[in-house]
Amino acid sequence: MTDTTSNQPVASTAADRARASELSAVGRFLKATELDTRMLGMVGALLVIWVGIHILSGGLFLTPRNLWNLSVQTSSVAIMATGMVLVIVMRNIDLSVGSVEGVIGMIMGVAQAEFLIRVIGFQLGNPWLWIIALAAGVVLGLLIGAFQGFIIAYMEVPAFIVTLGGLLVWRGMAWLITSGRTVAPLDATFQLMGGGPRGSIGATASWVVGIVACAAVAFALLNGRSQRKRFSFPLRPVWAETLLGVVACAAILGAVWIANSYPWPIGIVRQYALQNGITLPEGGLFIAHGIAIPVLMAVATGIIMTFITKRTRFGRYVFAIGGNPEAAELAGINTRWVTMKVFMIMGVLAAISAAISSARLNASTNALGTLDELLVIAAAVIGGTSLAGGAGTVMGAMLGALLMQSLQSGMVLLGIDSPLQSIVVGAVLVIAVWLDTVYRKRV
């Protein structure tokens, strides 16, 4: 009895040592690879959601068709989420992005389907139709963002009030433009920005894009290592950088493979071939979609916004203002002009999202973008953007958008009613903010 009792502390100590050794191994791995634990947690949560919904839906979720559609559905929200990161980092909020998306989508639809044809005299199919409509939408988004940003920055009206008013004003404007009428159809070239069977780049171009992306990852790792050597910064182990490159390239090429595994519907292929004088081969027919154009637009936006936040003086100013507005102003940063520029960027991104959403529907409606502001804010917060300001990543926000859209798509597959979907989205937003609060306290 005495021997058994005396051995318990020894066994407990051995278990504690083993656990400590395991934790230290994980810690060494994270330190060597410099991976963000919050990002890893979000990726893990996304995978759990995907596998769970796939099982509950009877194997319908993790299919090339659903994943391809999921990527297209995520694009518009992900694009706006990259701008919302800057807004929230500066301790502001933009509740009007959904309404801005709606009114700009209506303007672009009216421009190409009615105004340019009936008033200006353009012919249907004129290549300038979609270019002028898109340019008008981007300029309008810039002006709306500048207008709201001016009121917030220079007239010192709280962003919550200004954008809440914008939510109502721009939604009303979207209805007034056509008295609630839906405008359709849109220009055929404009529709390509919405994805669909013709709105993708095909299998060969997709593999080219994937290979180029892998080469860019390798170049970024090598360039980063040379820069660290140049300034005598600590270097990551070679095995860690090799692992990061392999995992990143595997993810990129895996995404391309999935996109190429989703074939065009045979009926659409035959119609397209007939219209373009293409002779189809006999027997089995398999023409891959490839990467969708809106997905490429979202990825390009993410790369540009990441460069802006991490590599430009403007990006550093945004995070400095969010971290300590008073100190930033004392340091000579024109905080008002930076704030106004952030809302101008948000307006432009809302215009791009409006083009994608309306092109995907092949119609402009006054309901376009309804409640998208909640999805965009939730995506940014879930992605690690702190509502206290000063912290956030573009990549995290885009992953947050994918997570939110995965939940919505999964609930549709499971046949969950729309009210319950709203409950889930609201609950996820509250939980994300709570987790952010807990994380900030621990840090």
Side-chain angles (χ1 to χ4, degrees):
M1 190 72 174
T2 306
D3 293 340
T4 303
T5 306
S6 62
N7 288 335
Q8 285 180 351
V10 176
S12 177
T13 302
D16 291 341
R17 287 176 179 174
R19 192 177 300 109
S21 176
E22 182 179 350
L23 291 174
S24 63
V26 174
R28 288 196 300 271
F29 174 80
L30 293 176
K31 182 178 180 180
T33 56
E34 299 180 0
L35 292 173
D36 186 353
T37 54
R38 294 190 67 179
M39 194 75 71
L40 285 177
M42 187 162 52
V43 171
L46 182 63
L47 293 177
V48 169
I49 290 172
W50 281 7
V51 173
I53 295 176
H54 185 70
I55 294 172
L56 293 175
S57 64
L60 296 176
F61 190 82
L62 293 178
T63 61
R65 177 181 180 180
N66 188 67
L67 292 177
W68 192 91
N69 287 322
L70 177 64
S71 67
V72 174
Q73 293 164 1
T74 305
S75 299
S76 61
V77 173
I79 287 173
M80 289 191 289
T82 63
M84 189 60 72
V85 170
L86 299 183
V87 173
I88 297 179
V89 160
M90 291 191 68
R91 305 186 185 186
N92 290 313
I93 200 73
D94 192 343
L95 302 175
S96 68
V97 290
S99 298
V100 172
E101 178 188 2
V103 71
I104 294 176
M106 184 61 74
I107 290 291
M108 289 191 293
V110 170
Q112 62 189 291
E114 297 180 0
F115 180 77
L116 292 175
I117 294 175
R118 298 178 185 176
V119 179
I120 306 300
F122 280 77
Q123 297 295 319
L124 287 174
N126 189 307
W128 284 101
L129 281 175
W130 74 272
I131 296 175
I132 295 174
L134 181 61
V138 171
V139 172
L140 179 60
L142 183 71
L143 294 176
I144 291 176
F147 175 68
Q148 294 188 153
F150 178 82
I151 296 175
I152 293 166
Y154 291 93
M155 299 178 66
E156 299 182 353
V157 180
F160 181 88
I161 299 300
V162 174
T163 58
L164 179 60
L167 182 151
L168 301 173
V169 170
W170 306 123
R171 182 61 61 191
M173 289 293 294
W175 190 92
L176 285 175
I177 290 170
T178 60
S179 298
R181 178 171 51 87
T182 297
V183 177
L186 304 182
D187 180 74
T189 306
F190 186 86
Q191 292 178 39
L192 299 181
M193 289 186 288
R198 294 181 59 241
S200 54
I201 63 174
T204 303
S206 296
W207 284 120
V208 172
V209 170
I211 293 171
V212 170
C214 289
V217 169
F219 173 78
L221 290 173
L222 292 174
N223 183 63
R225 189 172 185 85
S226 65
Q227 291 296 322
R228 290 186 179 213
K229 285 183 179 179
R230 178 183 175 187
F231 295 103
S232 301
F233 288 168
L235 298 176
R236 280 190 297 236
V238 175
W239 67 263
E241 295 202 340
T242 303
L243 178 63
L244 291 175
V246 169
V247 171
C249 288
I252 292 169
L253 296 179
V256 173
W257 176 76
I258 291 173
N260 287 340
S261 298
Y262 177 31
W264 282 12
I266 292 178
I268 294 179
V269 173
R270 287 175 177 164
Q271 181 181 3
Y272 180 78
L274 183 63
Q275 292 174 348
N276 294 274
I278 300 173
T279 303
L280 296 176
E282 297 293 336
L285 184 63
F286 181 87
I287 301 179
H289 273 70
I291 303 173
I293 291 175
V295 175
L296 291 177
M297 294 172 65
V299 171
T301 302
I303 293 173
I304 293 171
M305 292 298 291
T306 299
F307 178 81
I308 289 174
T309 55
K310 292 188 175 182
R311 300 290 183 180
T312 66
R313 182 181 300 176
F314 169 75
R316 291 192 291 271
Y317 284 173
V318 169
F319 281 84
I321 294 171
N324 192 326
E326 292 79 12
E329 193 163 1
L330 290 173
I333 299 175
N334 190 343
T335 57
R336 293 184 176 183
W337 176 228
V338 172
T339 301
M340 186 171 171
K341 285 198 289 188
V342 166
F343 280 92
M344 290 165 68
I345 291 173
M346 188 72 252
V348 171
L349 295 176
I352 297 173
S353 295
I356 292 175
S357 299
S358 57
R360 184 164 169 262
L361 295 173
N362 190 22
S364 295
T365 70
N366 63 296
L368 184 71
T370 301
L371 295 182
D372 273 8
E373 57 274 356
L374 299 183
L375 296 177
V376 172
I377 294 171
V381 174
I382 290 172
T385 305
S386 175
L387 291 172
T393 63
V394 170
M395 181 60 67
M398 298 187 77
L399 281 176
L402 180 59
L403 190 149
M404 293 299 298
Q405 192 60 53
S406 298
L407 281 174
Q408 284 204 317
S409 177
M411 287 187 288
V412 170
L413 284 178
L414 297 176
I416 297 176
D417 293 335
S418 181
L420 290 178
Q421 294 181 30
S422 299
I423 291 173
V424 172
V425 172
V428 168
L429 177 58
V430 173
I431 292 172
V433 175
W434 172 70
L435 290 175
D436 175 71
T437 303
V438 173
Y439 180 82
R440 296 298 165 190
K441 287 182 179 179
R442 290 185 177 180
V443 175

